[in-house]
């Protein structure tokens, strides 16, 4: 909403910290960041406008009034 776009919802075919939190800790997780998945690798890069767009999205996420569930084990 903050960027006026609908995000692509997909799976990723590489390792991220979300794998640990979803598989080991059983916490639903999201991998989110600037750039394209195809850009990941030895020559990884993003454009500065993608970085600025991500910063706006992160700021909107931090400002959102989201419910927080605390799990006790």
């Amino acid at each position: 909403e903050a960027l006026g776009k609908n995000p692509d919802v997909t799976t990723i075919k590489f390792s991220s910290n979300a794998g640990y939190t979803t598989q080991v800790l059983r916490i639903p997780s999201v991998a989110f960041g600037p750039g394209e998945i195809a850009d990941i690798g030895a020559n990884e890069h993003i454009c500065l406008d993608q970085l600025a767009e991500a910063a706006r999205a992160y700021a909107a996420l931090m400002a959102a009034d989201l419910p927080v569930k605390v799990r006790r084990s």
Side-chain angles (χ1 to χ4, degrees):
E1 290 177 4
L3 303 177
K5 300 180 181 183
N6 291 322
D8 293 332
V9 178
T10 186
T11 58
I12 55 176
K13 298 184 190 299
F14 56 86
S15 179
S16 77
N17 293 341
Y20 176 78
T21 58
T22 58
Q23 299 299 311
V24 177
L25 301 178
R26 303 282 187 228
I27 300 171
S29 302
V30 174
F32 173 76
E36 305 294 329
I37 290 176
D39 295 335
I40 296 172
N43 295 315
E44 196 166 309
H45 66 279
I46 60 170
C47 297
L48 291 178
D49 61 333
Q50 292 172 319
L51 182 61
E53 184 176 68
R56 288 193 303 276
Y58 296 144
L61 181 61
M62 297 306 285
D65 186 18
L66 301 174
V68 176
K69 295 181 183 178
V70 176
R71 295 182 352 169
R72 308 247 186 239
S73 48

